[in-house]
Amino acid sequence: MFDIKLDRISKRYFIWNDHRSRSALWPGFTRPGKRKKEIWALRDVSFEVSTGESLGIIGNNGAGKSTILKLLSRISVPTSGEIRIRGRLSALVEVGSGFHQELTGRENIFVNGSMLGMTRSEIVRKVESIVEFAGVREYIDVPVKRYSSGMYVRLGFSIAAHLDPDILLLDEVLAVGDLVFQAKCLDLISELRATGRTIVLISHDLGAIQRLCDRAILLHQGQIVHIGTPAEVIDRYQQMTIGAEATYHLVNDEWRAPASCSHISFAAAEAGATVRTGYPMFARFGFRARERLENVVFNIFIYWPSSYLCAQLTTAISEPHLRIAPGPGEVEFYCPVLEIQPGLYRVGVSIESNGDDIDRQERCALLRVHPGKMVFGDFYMDSVWRIT
Amino acid sequence: MNPPHTAGAHGSEDLEGGDRSNPSEPPASLPVSTRRLPEREHPLLGSLPAPPRAVCIICPPSFSPGAIVSAFVTLLAHRDLLYTLTCVRLSIRYKQSALGWIWAALLPLSTMCIYTLIFSRVARVASEGMPYPLFVFSALLPWIFFAGAVSAAINGMVGYSHILTKLYFPREIIPLSYVFAALVDFAVALVILGGLMAYYRIALSWNAFYALPLVVILLVFTSAVALFLASIQIRLRDVGVALPVLLQIGVFVTPVAYPLQSIPPRLQTLYLLNPVASLIENFRRVVLHGSAPNVPMLVTSGTITLGCFILAYGYFKVREGTMADII
């Protein structure tokens, strides 16, 4: 049974040239050929979400994610195509955006609640619980313009959380509030999901997509590129984004640095095997030195897709006073247990001498880690166990 | 050593798929049994009856009788929001003002004084045998309701852009809430009218009850104009700029400052096609003169109003779907 069904949905926006803003300052002032530009935010998008399923939508900025959300929540209508929605749908988009600054928290619960589709009697029934969950009891009769931004968001989310939707749309709601509140939101969403509600989640947080969704869609330039399991789709997305950005200009002879990196490669210890979580891995760092160098350090940086540093391989800890002679050479790192989870990582390298970078290349290679020993969490922690 | 969890449905690195796409396997710690039961759990509200699910179809808007009727049904389902927003208007309008609600009476009273000064003392306009202040005040009330509601609704619609792009509810509720708030001001001003009539010793007759259908028709017509202009204002802000002038013209093509008789008889039919003109004329007749309303005028204005409302509402609903895109 479907809850949401999109049938060949397209959405077109028009963008006007700034010089002809429609304020009619100069109604006759138009530059030929530069008047109106049409943009297809979505083109022939069709998919279904069945009851109780949670679907994640990922894609770059401008891929059409928010447009889908706007169409589903009826903020905007499609240019062509048809959407069928079975049941009550609520969107948790920028919670608290309907608040009136002059009104008190309690009054805003009524205004915002009824904007979200609750009846007055429903709100009267729920108002105590809303105040409780938001934790703003002392301030509930104070105008919300006096609220801190945290209280504002908590109250907004609490109202939305007290809806009883069949279908829940989420768009980056998890990016607001402090960590405790974020955890609270995530718990609530998991619980709603467990009670059979259909969820559509739009997020840049690939981890959240993987944790919360049964299925995912990858959008690119208004079209569906891939539908499948979150792991599959995230992998495809990472290939698309990181693959496009990676630069492989490693051999750098024109630059007369005292030493430079010439190549980098990763390999499993076992011949013929792929690099897998939980198994040994070799990382080989080729370099070329043009002079004798003292106190040399070789680094390999492994970055998450989000560009945060995930891990570092370095020679600095075991041998801070490494010396190298002119000529080519290679450093081989051996990791007995690869602890990072499957996925596609960016790799950067650097060579230091006496504390200064003499070569540094960000995002110069990719590391693909294949599924090996499977665990939950951000890392695989190698362990042994016994029953005592 | 293998970890205690073996690779299963929720291993975050399961590339093979298959298992993960199966929604009937939630994390083991959470209840599964609530699914597909008429009663369901809500994390904050406990167990609730699951309401029946209606299928809603979203497609490019069209102007059709069916669409208008179903839009109206949806509007009725959101009447609580209309009520709440009307209350919000009323409660914030006079916040941080010293005189507060007195303004609702003061504004028409001061306009009345200006009109009396100009049209009675300077220009000496006839007033059907009534004291001129009362004559003009009885017509100013419906006029101020109409003009005030339309201009507030149009400016208010644009002021809601941050909500229009974030939340969905029937958009017509925003202009309508301004219209209903103006209706409350109208009721306050009616009390003043009663006071003035008592002061001039003019008795109220049973015919005054005819004011009720007149006000209803005026309300519908005002809503129609507000909806139509608001949907244009979203795209072209010219409407908001031109409106004060248009309303100024409007006050002189309705019998507010002068009696209907001053209009040449051959132009009267055309003149009275304007529902506001005929409603104001009838309003003055039943309230001030205590005579029966002019029924043909009432019927004509009612018919025109109904037609205008259906067209304006249908147009608004067609425009509604792209309001968030172009506001």
Side-chain angles (χ1 to χ4, degrees):
Chain A
M1 193 60 137
F2 76 90
D3 264 15
I4 299 176
K5 188 176 188 174
L6 272 77
D7 188 19
R8 298 177 66 80
I9 288 296
S10 298
K11 175 71 185 176
R12 177 183 54 198
Y13 288 108
F14 288 113
I15 293 189
W16 273 274
N17 189 307
D18 259 6
H19 291 286
R20 191 183 169 261
S21 66
R22 316 203 84 201
S23 66
L25 267 180
W26 291 298
F29 184 81
T30 43
R31 289 202 289 187
K34 289 200 88 178
R35 270 175 298 177
K36 190 156 93 165
K37 205 174 138 198
E38 63 169 30
I39 285 177
W40 288 91
L42 290 176
R43 254 293 166 75
D44 272 342
V45 169
S46 307
F47 63 85
E48 275 185 40
V49 187
S50 42
T51 307
E53 188 184 21
S54 46
L55 176 86
I57 301 180
I58 54 179
N60 290 323
N61 290 331
K65 304 188 299 288
S66 302
T67 306
I68 286 193
L69 202 105
K70 279 192 173 164
L71 295 182
L72 288 178
S73 56
R74 311 189 61 185
I75 289 168
S76 184
V77 290
T79 309
S80 69
E82 189 184 87
I83 303 174
R84 282 168 186 268
I85 291 171
R86 206 173 61 86
R88 190 163 142 167
L89 178 143
S90 307
L92 256 71
V93 186
E94 285 188 40
V95 291
S97 57
F99 283 180
H100 255 283
Q101 297 297 316
E102 298 288 336
L103 299 180
T104 67
R106 190 184 302 278
E107 287 166 328
N108 266 310
I109 291 177
F110 278 86
V111 176
N112 201 241
S114 42
M115 277 184 185
L116 291 168
M118 289 193 236
T119 61
R120 282 186 77 82
S121 58
E122 212 177 329
I123 301 170
V124 169
R125 251 195 346 264
K126 291 175 181 173
V127 73
E128 279 309 306
S129 172
I130 290 174
V131 175
E132 195 57 49
F133 184 74
V136 292
R137 183 165 296 287
E138 308 92 281
Y139 303 98
I140 198 62
D141 291 310
V142 173
V144 294
K145 62 182 175 186
R146 311 265 178 251
Y147 277 31
S148 74
S149 55
M151 286 156 66
Y152 203 86
V153 169
R154 286 206 304 273
L155 184 61
F157 184 81
S158 178
I159 298 169
H162 281 76
L163 295 165
D164 182 29
D166 300 310
I167 304 160
L168 190 63
L169 303 184
L170 302 163
D171 183 14
E172 300 289 356
V173 270
L174 313 176
V176 296
D178 54 25
L179 286 176
V180 177
F181 186 68
Q182 278 185 24
K184 216 167 160 184
C185 299
L186 271 175
D187 284 353
L188 186 87
I189 292 163
S190 313
E191 281 170 50
L192 280 171
R193 181 184 166 206
T195 51
R197 274 139 178 106
T198 307
I199 292 176
V200 176
L201 170 65
I202 290 178
S203 183
H204 286 290
D205 180 357
L206 300 177
I209 298 267
Q210 200 150 42
R211 277 197 302 281
L212 293 169
C213 299
D214 302 310
R215 213 151 58 95
I217 286 180
L218 174 59
L219 278 181
H220 184 62
Q221 293 180 346
Q223 284 174 322
I224 294 180
V225 178
H226 198 86
I227 304 186
T229 63
E232 238 172 76
V233 171
I234 288 170
D235 195 61
R236 183 77 191 270
Y237 176 58
Q238 290 180 343
Q239 271 178 39
M240 211 169 79
T241 51
I242 306 178
E245 284 175 26
T247 49
Y248 296 91
H249 52 84
L250 266 174
V251 183
N252 202 347
D253 274 335
E254 289 98 309
W255 191 38
R256 309 305 300 175
S260 58
C261 175
S262 58
H263 68 266
I264 179 134
S265 65
F266 300 92
E270 231 177 293
T274 51
V275 173
R276 286 178 298 166
T277 304
Y279 293 92
M281 179 191 78
F282 284 109
R284 297 195 177 86
F285 186 140
F287 64 91
R288 185 184 308 252
R290 291 181 189 82
E291 50 195 75
R292 178 170 294 277
L293 292 166
E294 305 259 315
N295 298 335
V296 179
V297 173
F298 294 94
N299 290 310
I300 298 178
F301 300 101
I302 298 170
Y303 296 94
W304 298 112
S306 58
S307 296
Y308 282 109
L309 185 60
C310 164
Q312 178 191 11
L313 300 175
T314 181
T315 57
I317 294 169
S318 45
E319 179 52 274
H321 305 296
L322 194 67
R323 281 182 204 159
I324 53 172
E330 190 179 74
V331 185
E332 186 183 80
F333 291 91
Y334 175 68
C335 311
V337 173
L338 181 59
E339 303 201 327
I340 58 180
Q341 291 280 29
L344 202 56
Y345 296 81
R346 291 184 176 120
V347 175
V349 293
S350 80
I351 304 173
E352 292 169 30
S353 173
N354 293 320
D356 293 325
D357 274 358
I358 54 178
D359 187 18
R360 188 179 187 93
Q361 304 195 33
E362 307 282 356
R363 299 181 192 171
C364 60
L366 294 176
L367 166 61
R368 171 179 294 279
V369 179
H370 293 268
K373 297 177 180 170
M374 297 204 238
V375 289
F376 294 98
D378 281 350
F379 286 95
Y380 168 80
M381 273 173 64
D382 200 36
S383 57
V384 289
W385 58 274
R386 65 196 171 99
I387 296 166
T388 53
Chain B
M1 284 288 152
N2 275 331
H5 299 279
T6 46
H10 285 267
S12 52
E13 54 285 299
D14 181 358
L15 271 176
E16 272 68 56
D19 291 346
R20 282 193 57 84
S21 62
N22 185 355
S24 66
E25 256 186 76
S29 58
L30 295 160
V32 193
S33 56
T34 45
R35 196 165 285 182
R36 290 189 196 91
L37 290 178
E39 283 252 318
R40 61 179 180 188
E41 291 290 325
H42 187 283
L44 299 170
L45 303 163
S47 128
L48 293 167
R53 293 177 168 215
V55 175
C56 153
I57 299 174
I58 305 171
C59 51
S62 62
F63 189 95
S64 68
I68 294 174
V69 170
S70 75
F72 201 73
V73 171
T74 315
L75 174 63
L76 287 181
H78 282 78
R79 58 187 182 279
D80 279 6
L81 177 59
L82 180 56
Y83 173 78
T84 309
L85 279 186
T86 306
C87 295
V88 168
R89 298 276 160 275
L90 296 170
S91 78
I92 52 181
R93 175 149 10 144
Y94 300 116
K95 262 196 182 163
Q96 287 209 356
S97 85
L99 292 180
W101 275 96
I102 298 174
W103 280 113
L106 217 54
L107 287 176
L109 275 177
S110 52
T111 317
M112 176 195 83
C113 294
I114 297 165
Y115 276 53
T116 307
L117 206 68
I118 297 171
F119 294 104
S120 174
R121 297 282 172 268
V122 181
R124 308 226 168 255
V125 172
S127 59
E128 299 171 339
M130 283 288 164
Y132 190 81
L134 202 55
F135 171 81
V136 76
F137 194 73
S138 62
L140 265 179
L141 290 194
W143 174 258
I144 286 178
F145 161 68
F146 172 77
V150 168
S151 58
I154 284 166
N155 296 317
M157 193 76 183
V158 177
Y160 263 83
S161 57
H162 63 292
I163 296 179
L164 292 188
T165 53
K166 297 288 181 291
L167 286 176
Y168 177 77
F169 49 87
R171 301 322 193 185
E172 62 269 29
I173 287 178
I174 297 174
L176 290 183
S177 69
Y178 283 97
V179 173
F180 278 95
L183 191 66
V184 176
D185 280 353
F186 178 68
V188 172
L190 276 183
V191 178
I192 309 297
L193 178 65
L196 273 179
M197 286 175 71
Y199 175 80
Y200 284 106
R201 300 192 181 284
I202 295 192
L204 213 57
S205 85
W206 287 109
N207 279 328
F209 278 106
Y210 278 109
L212 218 59
L214 291 173
V215 171
V216 170
I217 298 173
L218 184 62
L219 177 74
V220 175
F221 185 73
T222 308
S223 307
V225 174
L227 287 174
F228 179 67
L229 291 183
S231 57
I232 296 179
Q233 164 82 348
I234 295 261
R235 286 182 348 137
L236 299 165
R237 302 290 200 273
D238 311 41
V239 175
V241 184
L243 191 70
V245 182
L246 293 178
L247 288 176
Q248 227 155 41
I249 297 170
V251 77
F252 294 112
V253 297
T254 49
V256 174
Y258 52 84
L260 180 63
Q261 282 72 37
S262 353
I263 300 293
R266 60 194 175 83
L267 288 181
Q268 270 187 21
T269 320
L270 185 68
Y271 181 87
L272 288 171
L273 279 182
N274 168 12
V276 185
S278 54
L279 287 169
I280 283 180
E281 175 60 24
N282 259 333
F283 186 80
R284 183 142 58 198
R285 250 179 226 205
V286 299
V287 174
L288 204 58
H289 299 287
S291 51
N294 181 325
V295 177
M297 242 156 75
L298 183 70
V299 172
T300 320
S301 60
T303 317
I304 294 175
T305 295
L306 194 65
C308 285
F309 182 80
I310 291 171
L311 289 178
Y313 190 55
Y315 180 72
F316 186 93
K317 289 310 267 189
V318 170
R319 287 268 148 239
E320 180 183 50
T322 50
M323 278 179 187
D325 306 339
I326 55 180
I327 194 165

